[in-house]
Amino acid sequence: MDGSAVRLNFLCTDDSNDDRRISVRENMAMARTPVLAAGGIVLRQAETPLVAVVRLRKRNEWVLPKGKLDRGETPRAAAEREVNEETGHDVSVHEFLGTLVYDSRGGSKVVHFWRMEAGRDPVRELMRDVKAVEWLPLTAAVDRLSRGYERAFLEQVGPIALSAVIGAGTPVERAPEPARVEAIEHVQDRRNFVQKMRDWFRAA
Protein backbone atom coordinates (compact mmCIF):
# COMPACT_ATOMS: atom_id res chain seq x y z
CA MET A 1 0.00 0.00 0.00
CA ASP A 2 1.43 3.35 -0.94
CA GLY A 3 -1.30 5.62 0.45
CA SER A 4 -1.33 7.20 3.89
CA ALA A 5 -4.80 5.83 4.65
CA VAL A 6 -6.55 2.53 4.03
CA ARG A 7 -10.24 1.64 3.95
CA LEU A 8 -11.25 -1.45 5.93
CA ASN A 9 -14.61 -3.07 5.15
CA PHE A 10 -16.41 -5.81 7.07
CA LEU A 11 -19.98 -6.95 7.79
CA CYS A 12 -21.68 -6.55 11.14
CA THR A 13 -25.09 -8.18 11.77
CA ASP A 14 -27.56 -6.74 14.33
CA ASP A 15 -30.46 -8.49 16.14
CA SER A 16 -32.84 -8.04 13.17
CA ASN A 17 -30.41 -9.90 10.89
CA ASP A 18 -29.92 -6.78 8.79
CA ASP A 19 -26.40 -6.65 7.48
CA ARG A 20 -24.68 -3.33 7.81
CA ARG A 21 -21.45 -2.57 6.03
CA ILE A 22 -19.03 -0.67 8.22
CA SER A 23 -16.36 1.43 6.54
CA VAL A 24 -13.49 2.59 8.67
CA ARG A 25 -10.69 4.91 7.60
CA GLU A 26 -7.55 4.50 9.63
CA ASN A 27 -4.53 6.73 9.26
CA MET A 28 -1.73 4.25 8.72
CA ALA A 29 0.98 6.75 9.59
CA MET A 30 -0.44 6.90 13.12
CA ALA A 31 -0.87 3.13 13.37
CA ARG A 32 2.63 2.12 12.30
CA THR A 33 5.31 1.44 14.85
CA PRO A 34 8.45 3.56 14.27
CA VAL A 35 11.34 1.81 12.55
CA LEU A 36 14.26 1.59 14.96
CA ALA A 37 17.79 1.97 13.65
CA ALA A 38 21.29 2.89 14.82
CA GLY A 39 24.54 4.10 13.34
CA GLY A 40 27.68 6.10 13.87
CA ILE A 41 29.48 9.33 13.28
CA VAL A 42 32.61 7.46 12.30
CA LEU A 43 35.99 9.20 12.46
CA ARG A 44 39.39 8.10 11.17
CA GLN A 45 42.60 9.63 12.44
CA ALA A 46 44.44 11.92 10.04
CA GLU A 47 46.06 15.33 10.18
CA THR A 48 42.46 16.54 9.96
CA PRO A 49 40.13 13.81 11.30
CA LEU A 50 37.96 12.31 8.57
CA VAL A 51 34.26 11.39 8.70
CA ALA A 52 32.75 8.37 6.92
CA VAL A 53 29.87 8.76 4.47
CA VAL A 54 28.54 5.86 2.41
CA ARG A 55 26.92 5.72 -1.02
CA LEU A 56 23.83 3.55 -1.31
CA ARG A 57 23.72 1.37 -4.41
CA LYS A 58 19.93 1.41 -4.86
CA ARG A 59 19.26 5.16 -4.72
CA ASN A 60 22.79 6.42 -5.37
CA GLU A 61 22.53 8.62 -2.25
CA TRP A 62 25.29 9.61 0.16
CA VAL A 63 24.23 8.94 3.75
CA LEU A 64 25.57 8.37 7.26
CA PRO A 65 26.30 4.70 8.00
CA LYS A 66 23.36 3.18 9.87
CA GLY A 67 20.78 0.40 9.71
CA LYS A 68 17.82 -1.30 11.33
CA LEU A 69 18.04 -3.25 14.57
CA ASP A 70 17.80 -7.02 14.42
CA ARG A 71 15.29 -8.65 16.75
CA GLY A 72 16.61 -8.63 20.33
CA GLU A 73 19.58 -6.44 19.41
CA THR A 74 20.46 -3.35 21.44
CA PRO A 75 20.86 -0.02 19.63
CA ARG A 76 24.57 0.17 20.49
CA ALA A 77 25.27 -3.34 19.20
CA ALA A 78 23.29 -2.65 16.03
CA ALA A 79 25.19 0.59 15.47
CA GLU A 80 28.56 -1.18 15.63
CA ARG A 81 27.42 -4.03 13.38
CA GLU A 82 25.88 -1.75 10.76
CA VAL A 83 28.90 0.55 10.62
CA ASN A 84 31.23 -2.43 10.22
CA GLU A 85 29.09 -3.79 7.37
CA GLU A 86 28.67 -0.46 5.58
CA THR A 87 32.21 0.95 5.92
CA GLY A 88 34.20 -2.30 5.96
CA HIS A 89 36.12 -1.11 9.05
CA ASP A 90 36.25 -2.39 12.59
CA VAL A 91 35.31 0.43 14.95
CA SER A 92 35.50 1.32 18.62
CA VAL A 93 32.25 2.74 19.97
CA HIS A 94 32.40 5.76 22.27
CA GLU A 95 29.84 8.23 23.63
CA PHE A 96 26.25 8.48 22.50
CA LEU A 97 25.73 11.60 20.35
CA GLY A 98 21.99 11.86 19.82
CA THR A 99 18.90 10.65 18.00
CA LEU A 100 17.61 11.57 14.55
CA VAL A 101 13.86 11.17 13.91
CA TYR A 102 12.33 11.58 10.47
CA ASP A 103 9.53 10.31 8.22
CA SER A 104 10.25 7.74 5.53
CA ARG A 105 8.07 5.79 3.10
CA GLY A 106 7.46 3.13 5.71
CA GLY A 107 6.56 5.60 8.48
CA SER A 108 8.62 7.28 11.16
CA LYS A 109 12.25 6.27 11.61
CA VAL A 110 14.22 6.69 14.84
CA VAL A 111 18.01 6.45 14.50
CA HIS A 112 20.43 6.53 17.47
CA PHE A 113 24.02 7.60 16.79
CA TRP A 114 27.31 7.03 18.62
CA ARG A 115 30.74 8.49 18.05
CA MET A 116 33.02 5.83 16.63
CA GLU A 117 36.66 5.58 15.62
CA ALA A 118 37.76 3.36 12.76
CA GLY A 119 41.07 1.68 12.06
CA ARG A 120 43.15 2.88 9.13
CA ASP A 121 42.53 -0.14 6.87
CA PRO A 122 39.29 -1.98 5.99
CA VAL A 123 38.88 -5.52 7.29
CA ARG A 124 35.99 -6.71 5.13
CA GLU A 125 34.23 -6.01 1.85
CA LEU A 126 31.35 -3.56 1.80
CA MET A 127 27.85 -5.01 2.08
CA ARG A 128 25.90 -5.31 -1.20
CA ASP A 129 23.67 -2.30 -0.45
CA VAL A 130 26.67 0.03 -0.29
CA LYS A 131 28.43 1.17 -3.45
CA ALA A 132 31.27 3.16 -1.89
CA VAL A 133 32.57 4.77 1.30
CA GLU A 134 34.47 8.03 1.47
CA TRP A 135 36.42 9.64 4.31
CA LEU A 136 36.11 13.42 4.27
CA PRO A 137 36.79 16.41 6.52
CA LEU A 138 33.67 17.39 8.46
CA THR A 139 32.60 20.30 6.25
CA ALA A 140 33.04 18.23 3.08
CA ALA A 141 31.18 15.31 4.65
CA VAL A 142 28.23 17.56 5.49
CA ASP A 143 28.16 18.87 1.92
CA ARG A 144 28.38 15.35 0.46
CA LEU A 145 25.28 14.03 2.29
CA SER A 146 22.21 13.80 0.05
CA ARG A 147 19.53 14.22 2.73
CA GLY A 148 18.94 17.58 4.34
CA TYR A 149 18.06 16.21 7.76
CA GLU A 150 21.32 14.23 7.88
CA ARG A 151 23.30 17.32 6.88
CA ALA A 152 21.66 19.30 9.69
CA PHE A 153 22.32 16.48 12.18
CA LEU A 154 25.99 16.13 11.24
CA GLU A 155 26.45 19.90 11.41
CA GLN A 156 25.21 19.75 14.99
CA VAL A 157 26.95 16.68 16.38
CA GLY A 158 30.03 16.59 14.13
CA PRO A 159 31.93 19.29 16.07
CA ILE A 160 31.17 17.43 19.32
CA ALA A 161 32.63 14.22 17.89
CA LEU A 162 35.70 16.06 16.58
CA SER A 163 36.37 17.79 19.88
CA ALA A 164 36.43 14.42 21.61
CA VAL A 165 39.02 13.13 19.12
CA ILE A 166 41.39 16.09 19.06
CA GLY A 167 40.90 17.01 22.72
CA ALA A 168 40.13 20.64 21.96
CA GLY A 169 37.59 22.92 23.50
CA THR A 170 35.44 22.58 26.58
CA PRO A 171 34.01 19.10 27.20
CA VAL A 172 30.41 18.86 26.04
CA GLU A 173 27.74 17.22 28.20
CA ARG A 174 26.94 13.82 26.80
CA ALA A 175 23.43 13.00 25.62
CA PRO A 176 21.67 10.29 27.65
CA GLU A 177 21.77 6.93 25.92
CA PRO A 178 18.45 5.49 24.71
CA ALA A 179 16.72 2.92 26.86
CA ARG A 180 16.30 -0.58 25.51
CA VAL A 181 13.85 -0.18 22.67
CA GLU A 182 12.59 -3.73 22.17
CA ALA A 183 9.89 -2.96 24.78
CA ILE A 184 8.21 -0.74 22.19
CA GLU A 185 6.95 -3.87 20.49
CA HIS A 186 4.91 -4.70 23.58
CA VAL A 187 3.19 -1.32 23.73
CA GLN A 188 1.06 -2.19 20.73
CA ASP A 189 -2.11 -4.18 21.30
CA ARG A 190 -1.50 -7.49 19.56
CA ARG A 191 -4.99 -7.54 18.10
CA ASN A 192 -5.29 -5.90 14.73
CA PHE A 193 -7.58 -2.97 14.04
CA VAL A 194 -10.39 -5.03 12.48
CA GLN A 195 -10.52 -7.35 15.49
CA LYS A 196 -10.78 -4.38 17.84
CA MET A 197 -13.73 -3.02 15.86
CA ARG A 198 -15.50 -6.39 15.89
CA ASP A 199 -15.09 -6.60 19.66
CA TRP A 200 -16.46 -3.08 20.03
CA PHE A 201 -19.61 -3.87 18.03
CA ARG A 202 -20.19 -7.11 19.94
CA ALA A 203 -20.03 -5.20 23.21
CA ALA A 204 -22.35 -2.40 22.00
Side-chain angles (χ1 to χ4, degrees):
M1 294 178 290
D2 56 4
S4 61
V6 62
R7 182 178 296 276
L8 304 177
N9 296 304
F10 59 88
L11 294 176
C12 179
T13 305
D14 61 16
D15 292 338
S16 61
N17 294 321
D18 292 332
D19 289 339
R20 295 177 299 153
R21 181 168 295 277
I22 310 299
S23 295
V24 180
R25 293 187 66 85
E26 175 72 357
N27 189 319
M28 293 303 292
M30 295 294 292
R32 292 190 182 108
T33 301
V35 175
L36 302 173
I41 306 302
V42 190
L43 304 176
R44 196 174 73 184
Q45 290 286 1
E47 184 175 348
T48 298
L50 304 175
V51 180
V53 293
V54 300
R55 190 175 192 178
L56 300 180
R57 188 175 300 278
K58 185 176 182 180
R59 297 183 183 175
N60 212 32
E61 292 179 312
W62 288 97
V63 299
L64 295 171
K66 61 189 180 298
K68 298 177 185 178
L69 274 65
D70 288 339
R71 181 175 293 276
E73 192 175 33
T74 65
R76 184 186 175 104
E80 182 175 2
R81 174 183 56 77
E82 287 287 346
V83 166
N84 176 261
E85 292 174 353
E86 293 194 357
T87 68
H89 287 254
D90 279 339
V91 294
S92 54
V93 183
H94 299 278
E95 69 272 15
F96 176 68
L97 290 174
T99 300
L100 179 60
V101 181
Y102 57 93
D103 291 329
S104 63
R105 291 183 180 181
S108 297
K109 197 164 189 177
V110 178
V111 191
H112 303 300
F113 283 91
W114 279 259
R115 178 176 69 86
M116 301 185 186
E117 293 186 39
R120 177 176 297 275
D121 299 316
V123 297
R124 56 168 290 165
E125 293 183 358
L126 302 179
M127 65 184 300
R128 289 180 57 86
D129 292 345
V130 174
K131 187 175 183 179
V133 57
E134 285 201 13
W135 299 89
L136 303 169
L138 178 59
T139 301
V142 170
D143 291 340
R144 180 64 58 88
L145 292 172
S146 301
R147 302 171 182 176
Y149 52 81
E150 288 198 352
R151 289 196 297 270
F153 183 75
L154 185 56
E155 281 182 332
Q156 181 179 19
V157 304
I160 299 173
L162 285 182
S163 68
V165 171
I166 63 180
T170 304
V172 180
E173 182 178 354
R174 294 183 179 182
E177 291 207 16
R180 289 182 67 90
V181 290
E182 38 210 16
I184 290 178
E185 295 179 6
H186 304 294
V187 174
Q188 283 191 314
D189 192 325
R190 292 185 181 277
R191 296 174 301 168
N192 61 31
F193 184 75
V194 174
Q195 185 62 49
K196 290 180 183 179
M197 292 298 296
R198 286 175 176 158
D199 291 348
W200 186 83
F201 278 109
R202 290 193 187 111

